[in-house]
């Protein structure tokens, strides 16, 4: 892993160019070992204000840059993602505890997002409407918002940052990115280097690592006209409240407690495979994780056996040093939280079928049976490799269980009758439903998002990006001035 650039982010933050930051220096810790990987310079509240003012002065020129030049720069960035893949993936593995296949998939998905975004400036951006007044033309078009603040999480730090950054830039906005300090190298500093090398003009893109105070400063700054936030529901509610008071646009992609629904006619081998992937990928640290397994009572025992066998075959370890299925959880605090939720649920009557052991930041792939809705392993977003199984007897009961959660992000339904699965899908309050698949799905060309406590619906991907990262303007034109009665 190339660390030649360490001196840059040791001392500087990126504000169109590398500049001295005024926040604290923080250690970059490898979660698998506890080793110090680097030191990161963070931003201060004053740096947020400075970046916002630079972006405001730069944005108009960037907005009027020809569409083909914008597209070329983003395509250049996509190519650089590929050429620097080994470096980016290495940091993702060591900094975030990602196993190499997860890091590789994330980078490929980010590359696809970049190519999709590069096509956006070439799309139609308006319509012409008729007028009741002869000779008047009504133009309605999408225009840039101004400066967009992007607050990104640590679990998929490259993809979940750049899925907002790329389309926001493509639509003519400036962007200030606040990566999480736990993933600010792969999800921030390296992205700054790539966009600079791609030819993005100075002042258009900024990277300001920091803690909650930097995020709060972004949200409250009057020159930042939109916030795109991916993270917890609790923080998202505060951001939404502040943006609402300021009449500021907000895209909120929040938590989830997603259901895997296994009907009595399901292909159980396929369902168990999908469930293992949905529950245990990246140690379950995904908002779309399959967190509730709602299984018909007639096949629950067999399903639990198949899923448990898959869980027992998964190995935990340091993904940088050995070939493993599960790496570490992001911190000891999170590992202890998962352990506490599982143990409390077992004390309440859940049955441990597989896993259930913690060693440092590592937690085994875990399956629990006899889970009831009052148990924390069912009701809480775990963000760990845990699959709790709850049974139902009728489709109506399954619908009630799915809709009983405040979250509404993703649901998977398994049945040999797609019509039956679609009937259930049409009755549930979630943003995304996947039939005979798992809950962790992302396709760059399809709008993505949840409902309820999971966020503000499908805001990222494909045509949704044009609307999301712009605002609208009506221009009416008439050749001769009008004479009104007074």
């Amino acid at each position: 892993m190339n660390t030649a650039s360490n001196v840059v982010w040791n001392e500087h933050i990126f504000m169109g160019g590398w500049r001295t930051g005024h926040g604290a220096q923080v250690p970059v810790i490898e979660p698998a070992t506890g080793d110090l990987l680097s030191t990161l310079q963070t931003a201060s509240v004053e740096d947020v204000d400075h970046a916002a003012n630079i972006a405001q002065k730069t944005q108009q020129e960037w907005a009027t840059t020809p569409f083909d030049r914008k597209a070329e720069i983003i395509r250049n960035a996509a190519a650089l993602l590929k050429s620097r893949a080994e470096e980016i993936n290495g940091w993702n593995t060591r900094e975030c505890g990602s196993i190499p296949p997860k890091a590789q998939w994330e980078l490929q998905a980010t590359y696809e997002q970049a190519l999709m975004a590069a096509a956006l400036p070439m799309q139609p951006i308006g319509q012409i409407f008729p007028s009741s007044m002869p000779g008047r033309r009504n133009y309605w078009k999408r225009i840039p918002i101004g400066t967009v603040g992007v607050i990104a999480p640590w679990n998929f730090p490259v993809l979940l940052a750049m899925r907002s950054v790329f389309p926001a830039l493509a639509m003519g906005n400036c962007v200030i990115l606040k990566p999480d300090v736990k993933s600010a190298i792969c999800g921030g500093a390296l992205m700054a280097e790539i966009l600079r090398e791609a030819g993005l003009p100075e002042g258009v893109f900024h990277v300001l690592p920091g803690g909650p105070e930097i995020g709060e400063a972004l949200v409250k700054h009057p020159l930042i006209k939109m916030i795109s936030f991916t993270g917890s529901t609790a923080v998202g509610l505060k951001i939404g409240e502040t943006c609402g008071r300021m009449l500021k646009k907000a895209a909120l992609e929040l938590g989830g407690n997603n259901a895997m629904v296994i009907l009595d006619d399901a292909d159980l081998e396929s369902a168990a495979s999908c469930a293992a992937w949905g529950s245990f990928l990246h140690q379950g640290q995904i908002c779309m994780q399959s967190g509730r397994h709602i299984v018909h009572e007639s096949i629950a025992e067999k399903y639990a056996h198949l899923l448990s066998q898959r869980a027992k075959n998964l190995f935990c370890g340091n993904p940088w040093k050995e070939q493993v299925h599960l790496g570490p959880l992001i911190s000891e605090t999170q590992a202890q939280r998962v352990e506490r939720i599982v143990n409390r649920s077992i004390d309440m009557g859940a049955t441990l079928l597989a896993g259930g052991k913690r060693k440092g930041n590592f937690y085994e792939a875990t399956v629990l049976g006899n889970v009831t809705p009052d148990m924390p392993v069912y009701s809480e977003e775990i963000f760990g490799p845990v699959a709790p199984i709850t049974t139902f007897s009728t489709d109506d009961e399954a619908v009630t269980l799915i809709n009983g959660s405040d979250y509404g992000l993703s649901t998977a339904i398994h049945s040999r009758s797609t019509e039956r699965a679609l009937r259930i899908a049409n009755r549930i309050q979630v943003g995304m439903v996947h039939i005979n698949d798992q809950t962790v799905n992302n396709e760059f060309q399809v709008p993505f998002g949840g409902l309820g406590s999971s966020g503000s619906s499908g805001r990222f991907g494909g045509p949704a990006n044009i609307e999301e990262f712009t605002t609208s303007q009506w221009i009416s034109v008439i050749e001769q001035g009008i004479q009104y009665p007074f």
Side-chain angles (χ1 to χ4, degrees):
M1 183 174 62
N2 178 17
T3 57
S5 299
N6 271 359
V7 67
V8 177
W9 58 69
N10 271 341
E11 301 172 358
H12 301 97
I13 57 176
F14 189 81
M15 291 199 290
W18 293 104
R19 304 171 188 242
T20 302
H22 297 92
Q25 287 194 345
V26 298
V28 180
I29 302 296
E30 184 175 30
T33 63
D35 292 345
L36 178 69
L37 296 176
S38 183
T39 303
L40 175 73
Q41 178 66 51
T42 63
S44 67
V45 172
E46 292 73 23
D47 291 326
V48 173
D49 182 63
H50 191 194
N53 279 279
I54 292 172
Q56 185 191 38
K57 294 173 183 176
T58 309
Q59 190 268 325
Q60 281 296 318
E61 184 176 355
W62 171 244
T64 57
T65 299
F67 74 88
D68 53 346
R69 177 57 181 155
K70 292 193 191 85
E72 180 184 23
I73 290 170
I74 297 174
R75 286 195 300 269
N76 290 345
L80 287 164
L81 288 172
K82 289 278 193 177
S83 66
R84 297 184 65 172
E86 183 177 358
E87 179 186 11
I88 297 167
N89 291 339
W91 276 105
N92 199 337
T93 298
R94 300 200 71 182
E95 193 178 15
C96 307
S98 302
I99 63 173
K102 178 266 185 185
Q104 293 160 9
W105 178 89
E106 181 178 354
L107 191 65
Q108 176 63 28
T110 307
Y111 170 80
E112 292 169 348
Q113 291 275 357
L115 294 183
M116 180 270 298
L120 292 178
M122 307 174 199
Q123 302 304 310
I125 58 169
Q127 301 175 50
I128 300 175
F129 287 83
S131 175
S132 57
M133 180 171 291
R136 172 184 277 174
R137 299 187 300 277
N138 289 317
Y139 300 98
W140 182 82
K141 64 178 182 175
R142 309 300 304 187
I143 61 174
I145 292 170
T147 298
V148 177
V150 177
I151 302 175
W154 51 262
N155 57 336
F156 281 75
V158 182
L159 175 61
L160 298 186
M162 305 313 288
R163 73 170 179 186
S164 292
V165 171
F166 283 139
L169 293 174
M171 300 314 297
N173 303 286
C174 287
V175 176
I176 302 175
L177 167 64
K178 189 202 86 68
D180 193 292
V181 291
K182 293 187 283 294
S183 56
I185 307 303
C186 65
L190 295 181
M191 298 303 103
E193 291 184 356
I194 280 172
L195 280 167
R196 189 181 195 188
E197 188 177 345
L200 193 69
E202 185 168 338
V204 175
F205 179 56
H206 307 254
V207 178
L208 305 182
E213 72 283 356
I214 302 305
E216 184 178 11
L218 279 175
V219 173
K220 291 183 176 180
H221 201 288
L223 296 182
I224 298 172
K225 302 301 184 180
M226 173 183 174
I227 296 295
S228 177
F229 171 77
T230 303
S232 73
T233 299
V235 175
L237 287 170
K238 294 178 181 178
I239 290 173
E241 181 180 358
T242 301
C243 289
R245 287 200 306 269
M246 298 180 70
L247 302 180
K248 180 180 297 193
K249 196 170 188 178
L252 305 174
E253 204 270 280
L254 309 177
N257 191 5
N258 311 290
M260 282 285 301
V261 182
I262 316 300
L263 303 183
D264 53 348
D265 63 346
D267 178 339
L268 293 187
E269 290 286 352
S270 173
S273 175
C274 291
W277 183 262
S279 288
F280 306 136
L281 176 65
H282 196 40
Q283 300 78 260
Q285 298 173 123
I286 307 173
C287 61
M288 297 176 287
Q289 181 219 15
S290 302
R292 295 180 295 154
H293 296 243
I294 298 173
V295 185
H296 193 275
E297 60 188 8
S298 66
I299 47 92
E301 185 176 349
K302 183 176 180 181
Y303 174 83
H305 173 75
L306 292 171
L307 182 56
S308 297
Q309 289 303 116
R310 291 179 179 274
K312 291 172 183 177
N313 289 331
L314 301 180
F315 295 97
C316 297
N318 182 348
W320 183 247
K321 295 292 186 182
E322 52 190 332
Q323 187 173 349
V324 298
H325 302 99
L326 277 69
L329 293 171
I330 193 64
S331 67
E332 187 172 8
T333 299
Q334 177 60 16
Q336 290 173 343
R337 178 181 177 273
V338 173
E339 181 180 46
R340 185 166 58 250
I341 289 173
V342 170
N343 289 344
R344 282 170 53 205
S345 298
I346 292 172
D347 290 342
M348 294 174 67
T351 304
L352 181 64
L353 303 176
K357 295 179 182 177
R358 178 177 75 88
K359 185 176 181 181
N361 290 358
F362 299 93
Y363 199 88
E364 295 177 335
T366 298
V367 180
L368 295 174
N370 298 318
V371 172
T372 55
D374 60 324
M375 295 178 182
V377 76
Y378 180 94
S379 60
E380 297 185 27
E381 183 182 25
I382 304 168
F383 237 58
V386 181
I389 298 174
T390 301
T391 62
F392 68 92
S393 58
T394 67
D395 290 3
D396 287 344
E397 186 181 354
V399 169
T400 299
L401 287 168
I402 299 165
N403 287 338
S405 173
D406 291 335
Y407 295 105
L409 186 55
S410 180
T411 291
I413 304 171
H414 280 256
S415 172
R416 284 188 169 88
S417 169
T418 55
E419 287 303 314
R420 180 184 178 191
L422 281 168
R423 285 196 296 271
I424 292 175
N426 290 330
R427 297 174 61 192
I428 59 178
Q429 297 297 309
V430 298
M432 299 175 287
V433 182
H434 306 293
I435 294 174
N436 293 325
D437 203 342
Q438 40 79 37
T439 57
V440 185
N441 271 316
N442 180 79
E443 293 194 50
F444 66 92
Q445 75 280 11
V446 183
F448 174 103
L451 307 176
S453 293
S454 292
S456 45
S457 192
R459 315 300 286 269
F460 305 104
N465 283 321
I466 295 176
E467 181 175 347
E468 192 60 25
F469 295 101
T470 60
T471 189
S472 63
Q473 184 182 58
W474 172 26
I475 298 177
S476 71
V477 178
I478 192 165
E479 296 297 331
Q480 178 63 47
I482 301 172
Q483 294 295 321
Y484 286 98
F486 56 85

